[in-house]
Amino acid sequence: MNNDVIHARTRHLLTHYLSPMASGPWTVQGACITARALPGYGLPADAVATRVLIEEPDQGWTAAIEVIQRGGRLWRLRIERFIDDSDERGPAELQAAYLDWLRSL
């Protein structure tokens, strides 16, 4: 799976659908998206760290993403992990399901 494509599509989701970052929840294409502030240890003074959870109940997956914004703009993002709510799929299948969902936006 091409991680660059996943990151680019995730960046698009965050900047076009959820900006400016708030706590949500939002519903986008059947997925529930929530965000909560994280401690900003070691970050520049103007940076805000947020954990974003994207839960797709019909497909049974969750994506956990760490987002750092500076000056109200996306500065960094890191996809922490994918969670299989059914315990039947591996990481590659979860990434593919997440990418398919991102492409549907």
Side-chain angles (χ1 to χ4, degrees):
M1 187 64 52
N2 188 338
N3 286 332
D4 292 339
V5 172
I6 290 175
H7 275 83
R9 295 254 181 189
T10 301
R11 182 176 289 274
H12 177 80
L13 166 72
L14 296 171
T15 57
H16 289 86
Y17 288 85
L18 308 180
S19 190
M21 191 63 62
S23 62
W26 303 273
T27 301
V28 178
Q29 287 294 99
C32 179
I33 303 172
T34 57
R36 68 176 171 92
L38 294 173
Y41 303 117
L43 292 176
D46 66 335
V48 176
T50 306
R51 174 162 294 116
V52 177
L53 290 178
I54 304 170
E55 299 173 90
E56 215 310 343
D58 292 338
Q59 296 179 20
W61 56 259
T62 300
I65 302 164
E66 182 180 287
V67 178
I68 301 174
Q69 293 181 308
R70 288 187 78 182
R73 300 186 69 179
L74 183 61
W75 184 48
R76 282 193 225 168
L77 73 89
R78 180 175 67 93
I79 298 174
E80 295 177 326
R81 63 189 162 133
F82 296 101
I83 302 159
D84 181 14
D85 299 334
S86 67
D87 293 327
E88 297 176 0
R89 294 170 288 191
E93 292 173 296
L94 293 171
Q95 283 184 341
Y98 176 64
L99 185 56
D100 287 345
W101 178 79
L102 287 171
R103 287 179 173 150
S104 74
L105 302 178

